[in-house]
Amino acid sequence: MLTGKRILLIIGGGIAAFKSLDLIRRLRDQGALVVPVLTRSAEEFVTPLSVSALAAQKVYRDLFDLTDEAEMGHIELSRAADLVVVAPATADLMAKMAAGLANDLASTLLMATDKRVLIAPSMNVRMWEHPATRRNLAVLQGDGVLVVGPDEGNMACGEYGPGRMADVPEIIEAVGAALGDGSMKDRHVIVTSGPTHEPIDPVRYIANRSSGAQGGAMAAALRDLGARVTFVTGPADVPPPAGVDVVRVETAREMLSAVQAAHPADAAVFAAAVADWRVENASGSKMKKDGSGNAPALEFTENPDILAGVARMEEGRPKLVVGFAAETDNVVENATAKRLRKGCDWIVANDVSSETGIMGGDENAIVLIDGDGAESWPRLPKAEVAKRLARRIADAIGAV
Ligand code: C5P
């Protein structure tokens, strides 16, 4: 089930650390490669030697171990993994993660990683129920950290309640879910997202109200199906999801280059709100009032249509090209015409009139238009729209 997956396992200093030895074995039974990291206090509970023997890997222990930096720096170590698992995640480790501290190897890896993080909390019941841990948990969940457990039961300290680390089979199941159901394994999808900024001069630009929420949700949903996602994003309000290859751009022309560089791909989803025009006479230095009362005249020129370009590629066209259409009236008619004009396979159309609250909001009501006609979906959270679209994309490219 986990064949070829590389798991960075951070073992925190709690009594449940002994269960992590079994976790290493079970993860390896499933075909995973486990790279273990021990915190200082974890070494009081399990020895580096037993961890290393069970993982059949070197144990990473110290941020300032220069041999390790030469071999594999901490940034690379944190990113070479497919998933980062923290088990046991102590109250202290959770607090560090929530606060963004990076003062030892484990916390630095957690700050430096661009991969998903799954934690298996383990602590005394009072510590678990403490308002500080509640707060930290909420922060971590808001940051997209996945959580498994804790379970309720008798604790090593003699108390009863929630705080026991989840059992190993439960953690393995959560690892499998975090790595995706695998139906899009070995598939590559390009997703564009967010607005573009078109400069007027070095400090001013033209932009639009796209938040990047739907594009980010699309990338996350495709990742959850196991796809490799290249996420080309303009300056969006929402941070990019973890576990995707992020390429940050500003202008439409930069977005075009990034999309071209990301090929070949099995599918491409164009959720970005690309500026149709850029300022042709953009100034290299800040434009100043000259006291004459005359406003500068901006001249516009059309930006390349990235979607249309990819949809009409003669060689190496992705099997499925999906465009988005933000419309304010005659949604279906306009989007149907747009599909033909752009040459894409599907158009995901939505009504972005201000009264719908869709642009910048949490929900979306879409019409999916393909060669057979239009299908209206109910109003759903953007994450749910993304999940359903991702599943349809997997079906369409035969990745099931
Ligand atoms: O023409 P319009 O901007 O309404 O088309 C929307 C679709 O085309 C979106 O999928 C958007 O990402 C894509 N697009 C593009 N490059 C442009 C303009 C739009 O990829 N220059």
Side-chain angles (χ1 to χ4, degrees), residues 19-368:
K19 285 201 214 172
S20 302
L21 297 178
D22 192 33
L23 178 62
I24 294 174
R25 291 184 47 171
R26 303 293 159 224
L27 285 168
R28 293 191 63 209
D29 287 350
Q30 301 272 337
L33 183 134
V34 182
V35 178
V37 175
L38 280 175
T39 65
R40 272 278 150 75
S41 48
E43 290 187 24
E44 303 291 331
F45 294 90
V46 289
T47 69
L49 191 60
S50 39
V51 170
S52 162
L54 285 167
Q57 289 291 324
K58 173 185 171 65
V59 182
Y60 290 86
R61 299 158 64 188
D62 196 341
L63 187 56
F64 299 105
D65 185 338
L66 292 176
T67 335
D68 290 357
E69 285 297 313
E71 212 174 279
M72 184 186 262
H74 62 274
I75 305 281
E76 204 184 327
L77 182 62
S78 75
R79 301 201 181 152
D82 294 299
L83 180 71
V84 181
V85 178
V86 187
T90 58
D92 179 63
L93 264 175
M94 284 178 64
K96 276 186 175 172
M97 287 174 75
L101 285 180
N103 55 4
D104 61 9
L105 178 61
S107 53
T108 305
L109 291 171
L110 286 160
M111 281 289 280
T113 189
D114 60 352
K115 296 302 176 336
R116 297 188 101 186
V117 178
L118 169 72
I119 62 169
S122 165
M123 66 199 72
N124 165 272
V125 56
R126 293 261 179 265
M127 291 171 82
W128 175 248
E129 285 170 353
H130 195 283
T133 306
R134 305 274 91 203
R135 263 195 318 271
N136 292 336
L137 179 68
V139 168
L140 294 176
Q141 284 175 320
D143 290 347
V145 170
L146 303 165
V147 184
V148 54
D151 292 345
E152 197 170 311
N154 288 320
M155 316 203 70
C157 50
E159 289 184 69
Y160 181 91
R164 283 165 55 107
M165 185 164 91
D167 283 333
V168 169
E170 210 185 324
I171 300 177
I172 300 267
E173 207 180 302
V175 167
L179 287 168
D181 78 353
S183 58
M184 286 191 81
K185 190 173 165 291
D186 301 328
R187 306 298 170 124
H188 177 214
V189 186
I190 300 169
V191 178
T192 70
S193 182
T196 61
H197 284 182
E198 307 297 334
I200 296 170
D201 68 16
V203 296
R204 304 181 179 94
Y205 56 83
I206 293 175
N208 61 66
R209 293 186 197 281
S210 166
S211 65
Q214 188 63 77
M218 274 312 304
L222 290 158
R223 169 205 66 197
D224 286 349
L225 294 181
R228 176 165 76 83
V229 178
T230 301
F231 184 62
V232 182
T233 178
D237 295 340
V238 295
V244 300
D245 298 332
V246 182
V247 186
R248 292 175 204 270
V249 297
E250 268 197 52
T251 66
R253 286 190 294 177
E254 286 168 12
M255 188 172 273
L256 173 68
S257 309
V259 166
Q260 284 169 340
H263 275 84
D266 299 283
V269 178
F270 293 88
V274 184
D276 288 321
W277 298 281
R278 68 176 177 275
V279 181
E280 190 166 40
N281 56 341
S283 167
S285 48
K286 188 181 169 201
M287 291 160 83
K288 293 207 182 334
K289 281 185 284 194
D290 61 6
S292 71
N294 294 332
L298 297 181
E299 282 163 33
F300 288 91
T301 185
E302 207 167 314
N303 264 329
D305 192 316
I306 309 166
L307 166 65
V310 171
R312 299 200 187 285
M313 275 168 73
E314 284 181 4
E315 261 174 58
R317 179 193 192 273
K319 202 165 171 187
L320 187 76
V321 178
V322 181
F324 276 64
E327 301 285 346
T328 49
D329 34 34
N330 300 327
V331 176
V332 175
E333 292 86 328
N334 287 341
T336 305
K338 188 167 288 179
R339 178 181 164 274
L340 295 174
R341 204 166 58 239
K342 304 241 183 190
C344 58
D345 303 297
W346 299 353
I347 282 272
V348 179
N350 51 18
D351 185 346
V352 292
S353 320
S354 53
E355 65 275 14
T356 64
I358 284 175
M359 209 149 189
D362 296 331
E363 292 185 337
N364 205 350
I366 67 144
V367 184
L368 179 59

